[in-house]
C-alpha cells in the first residue's frame, strides 16, 4: 500500500520547515556555558589568541573610523559588533583555504595574511592594495552585493576537481541573501558538491532595509533547503558557537560532502558605511541597547576571565600594540606614491591601442611638470 500522506495544510508545512532551524549557542550574554557540546576543544593559548584578534578588530574599527574622518582613509564599512561572526569563523580556516570577502570583511582578510598596509591602500582605492602575494589564498573584497558568492562557487568547484581538501569561505550580509547571485551560487555549489562554506552575516539591516522586509523566511539559514545543502543558524555574538559551527562546516565541505550555509545572528554598532549612512534614521535606541548587551567582546571577556585567561592589563596591552600596528601601517600607506592618470591608462590594456598611447603621453607630460 502507498504511504498515507499528511493532510494538505500549508501552515503546517511552514511550521515544520521553520522548526528545523534553531539558533545554536554555546555562551549566554554573561559568558556562561549553556551548551557544552558547542564548546570547542581549543587550548588556553588558542582561546587567548581568538580574544586578541577580536580586540584587535574592535580597535581597528575605531581607528579606521577616525582615519576616515581625518581624510586619511577612503571607503570604510564599520565592523564593531561583528567580531565573533567574522574572526571566530575565520579562526576555523586553514592557511591553504580560500577567502572571498565582502567589503565589510577586511578583518578576516588581514588575519588570513593580507598586510594591513595593503588593506588601507585598498580602502583608498589604490591599485597597490590589490597586488596580493602568491601564497595569500584570497581575492580582494567584493563591492558588488553578493557577487563574491558566485566567485566562491567557482573556486570551490575548482578545489573539488583538483581533489583538494581545502575549502572556500565567503561572506555576505542579510541583504546579500536577497540577491540573485546568492541563490545561483549555493545552487551551483550544491549541485556539484563543491568545497564551500557560505556565511550570511545577518546584522538586521541591508543598509536601512530591515531584514524582515527582505524575505518572508523566518530564518535565512533555511534558504539552504532550496539548494539541497545543510543550513544552520548560529548566535553570531558567541565566538565559541561561531567557531564550532564553522569548524564542523569546514570539515564537512573538505571531505567532499558539498557546501554549507551558515547564518550568523549579529549586529553592526555603527553605520552601514562611513559614506553618508545615518543609522539613527532607521534604528531605535532600544534596539541598539538590546544588542549592546550581547557585545561579543564582553561575553567572551567574562568567559575567559572566569577561566583566569584574561585581564584588563592584558587587554590594554593588546589595544596599545594594535594602535602602534595601525600607526605604522597607515604611515607606510602614506609613503606609497600616489596614483596618476597615466598609470590608470597603462593598466587598462595589455596591448595599448594608439588612442590610449596618445592619452598616456599627454598625461605623462602634464604629470612631469
Amino acid at each position: 500500500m502507498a504511504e498515507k500522506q499528511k493532510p494538505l495544510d500549508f501552515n503546517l508545512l511552514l511550521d515544520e520547515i521553520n522548526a528545523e532551524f534553531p539558533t545554536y549557542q554555546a555562551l549566554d550574554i554573561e559568558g556562561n556555558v549553556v551548551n557544552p557540546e558547542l564548546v570547542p576543544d581549543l587550548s588556553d593559548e588558542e582561546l587567548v589568541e581568538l580574544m586578541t584578534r577580536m580586540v584587535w578588530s574592535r580597535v581597528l574599527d575605531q581607528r579606521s573610523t577616525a582615519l576616515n574622518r581625518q581624510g586619511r582613509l577612503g571607503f570604510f564599512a564599520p565592523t564593531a559588533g561583528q567580531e565573533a561572526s567574522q574572526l571566530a569563523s575565520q579562526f576555523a580556516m586553514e592557511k591553504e583555504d580560500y577567502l572571498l570577502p565582502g567589503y565589510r570583511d577586511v578583518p578576516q582578510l588581514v588575519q588570513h595574511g593580507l598586510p594591513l598596509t595593503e588593506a588601507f591602500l585598498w580602502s583608498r582605492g589604490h591599485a597597490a592594495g590589490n597586488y596580493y602575494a602568491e601564497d595569500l589564498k584570497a581575492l580582494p573584497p567584493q563591492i558588488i552585493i553578493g557577487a563574491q558568492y558566485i566567485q566562491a562557487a567557482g573556486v570551490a568547484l575548482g578545489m573539488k576537481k583538483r581533489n583538494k581538501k581545502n575549502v572556500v569561505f565567503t561572506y555576505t550580509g542579510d541583504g546579500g541573501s536577497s540577491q540573485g547571485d546568492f541563490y545561483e551560487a549555493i545552487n551551483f555549489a550544491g549541485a556539484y558538491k563543491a568545497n564551500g562554506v557560505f556565511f550570511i552575516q545577518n546584522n538586521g539591516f541591508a543598509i536601512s532595509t530591515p531584514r524582515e522586509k527582505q524575505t518572508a523566511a523566518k530564518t535565512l539559514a533555511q534558504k539552504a533547503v532550496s539548494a539541497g545543502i545543510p543550513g544552520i543558524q548560529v548566535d553570531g555574538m558567541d565566538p565559541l558557537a561561531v567557531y564550532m559551527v564553522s569548524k564542523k562546516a569546514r570539515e564537512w565541505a573538505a571531505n567532499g560532502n558539498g557546501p554549507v550555509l551558515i547564518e550568523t545572528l549579529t549586529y553592526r554598532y555603527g553605520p552601514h558605511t562611513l559614506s553618508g549612512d545615518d543609522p539613527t534614521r532607521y534604528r531605535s535606541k532600544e534596539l541598539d541597547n538590546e544588542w549592546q548587551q550581547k557585545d561579543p567582546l564582553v561575553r567572551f571577556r567574562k568567559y575567559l576571565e572566569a577561566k583566569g585567561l584574561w585581564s584588563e592589563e592584558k587587554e590594554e596591552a593588546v589595544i596599545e600594540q594594535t594602535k602602534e600596528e595601525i600607526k605604522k601601517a597607515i604611515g607606510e600607506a602614506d609613503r606609497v606614491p600616489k596614483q596618476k592618470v597615466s598609470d590608470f591608462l597603462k593598466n587598462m590594456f595589455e596591448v595599448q591601442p594608439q588612442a590610449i598611447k596618445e592619452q598616456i603621453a599627454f598625461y605623462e607630460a602634464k604629470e612631469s611638470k
Side-chain angles (χ1 to χ4, degrees):
M1 290 179 62
E3 183 180 346
K4 186 177 180 180
Q5 295 181 336
K6 295 180 181 179
L8 184 56
D9 186 332
F10 292 119
N11 284 320
L12 179 60
L13 289 173
L14 279 175
D15 290 343
E16 288 179 347
I17 291 174
N18 294 334
E20 292 297 316
F21 294 89
T23 304
Y24 284 82
Q25 183 186 65
L27 300 176
D28 64 16
I29 62 174
E30 296 299 328
N32 301 311
V33 174
V34 293
N35 187 350
E37 291 185 3
L38 280 180
V39 176
D41 185 22
L42 291 171
S43 67
D44 289 350
E45 290 76 15
E46 288 171 322
L47 290 170
V48 169
E49 175 61 23
L50 178 53
M51 180 62 175
T52 298
R53 294 185 185 191
M54 289 171 60
V55 173
W56 167 87
S57 185
R58 181 66 61 88
V59 177
L60 179 62
D61 174 87
Q62 295 166 347
R63 296 300 302 144
S64 294
T65 298
L67 289 166
N68 174 275
R69 289 170 177 164
Q70 294 168 12
R72 300 184 68 194
L73 201 61
F75 175 84
F76 180 65
T79 59
Q82 296 190 203
E83 292 86 359
S85 175
Q86 295 179 314
L87 277 305
S89 57
Q90 189 276 329
F91 204 61
M93 293 183 70
E94 302 290 338
K95 181 176 174 57
E96 294 301 309
D97 292 340
Y98 254 89
L99 174 63
L100 274 71
Y103 51 76
R104 200 180 308 279
D105 302 310
V106 173
Q108 301 100 295
L109 197 52
V110 175
Q111 291 299 333
H112 199 53
L114 181 72
L116 186 55
T117 299
E118 293 183 27
F120 286 152
L121 288 169
W122 173 84
S123 174
R124 293 177 173 182
H126 200 295
N130 298 282
Y131 299 151
Y132 286 11
E134 191 172 335
D135 63 346
L136 175 56
K137 308 302 183 184
L139 293 184
Q142 179 59 261
I143 294 293
I144 302 171
I145 306 298
Q148 64 272 28
Y149 261 49
I150 290 286
Q151 295 171 319
V155 176
L157 178 59
M159 286 185 168
K160 183 177 182 64
K161 290 175 72 67
R162 289 169 174 78
N163 296 314
K164 297 283 188 180
K165 287 293 185 180
N166 297 104
V167 304
V168 178
F169 274 33
T170 190
Y171 299 79
T172 193
D174 46 289
S177 74
S178 299
Q179 293 286 101
D181 283 356
F182 166 85
Y183 295 98
E184 293 176 17
I186 63 173
N187 184 69
F188 181 93
Y192 290 98
K193 292 190 179 298
N195 304 13
V197 181
F198 295 85
F199 290 89
I200 305 172
Q201 297 191 90
N202 178 4
N203 62 28
F205 293 88
I207 307 182
S208 59
T209 303
R211 170 254 178 274
E212 59 269 16
K213 290 190 176 181
Q214 298 177 49
T215 176
K218 295 299 181 184
T219 69
L220 302 181
Q222 71 196 62
K223 295 189 176 189
V225 174
S226 66
I229 65 175
I232 186 170
Q233 185 183 77
V234 61
D235 182 348
M237 311 298 266
D238 176 355
L240 295 187
V242 171
Y243 172 82
M244 190 67 160
V245 168
S246 302
K247 188 75 171 177
K248 291 294 185 182
R250 186 201 173 277
E251 292 171 359
W252 170 272
N255 287 325
N257 298 303
V260 178
L261 181 68
I262 299 174
E263 176 190 4
T264 62
L265 294 178
T266 186
Y267 198 73
R268 55 170 167 82
Y269 293 144
H272 174 70
T273 70
L274 298 186
S275 302
D277 177 47
D278 179 6
T280 64
R281 298 181 65 183
Y282 55 86
R283 291 195 324 212
S284 67
K285 288 185 178 180
E286 291 75 19
L287 184 62
D288 283 346
N289 290 337
E290 176 188 339
W291 281 94
Q292 287 286 351
Q293 302 305 312
K294 302 175 183 179
D295 191 319
L297 267 65
V298 174
R299 186 183 306 194
F300 203 32
R301 182 185 300 126
K302 290 179 178 179
Y303 174 75
L304 294 182
E305 286 177 343
K307 293 171 71 70
L309 297 176
W310 199 254
S311 65
E312 185 177 346
E313 293 75 21
K314 187 170 290 189
E315 186 158 329
E316 282 299 320
V318 172
I319 291 171
E320 291 306 313
Q321 182 179 346
T322 303
K323 287 180 178 178
E324 286 301 313
E325 177 188 353
I326 293 169
K327 182 179 179 181
K328 178 182 177 183
I330 199 68
E332 291 174 351
D334 287 341
R335 290 189 289 275
V336 173
K338 288 182 169 55
Q339 298 179 105
K340 297 177 290 188
V341 174
S342 60
D343 293 331
F344 292 132
L345 292 167
K346 290 174 184 177
N347 289 336
M348 286 177 66
F349 299 93
E350 183 177 4
V351 179
Q352 297 154 1
Q354 183 60 33
I356 297 297
K357 290 180 179 179
E358 291 173 2
Q359 291 181 48
I360 290 172
F362 172 78
Y363 282 104
E364 282 184 333
K366 289 186 68 175
E367 292 159 357
S368 65
K369 293 179 180 178

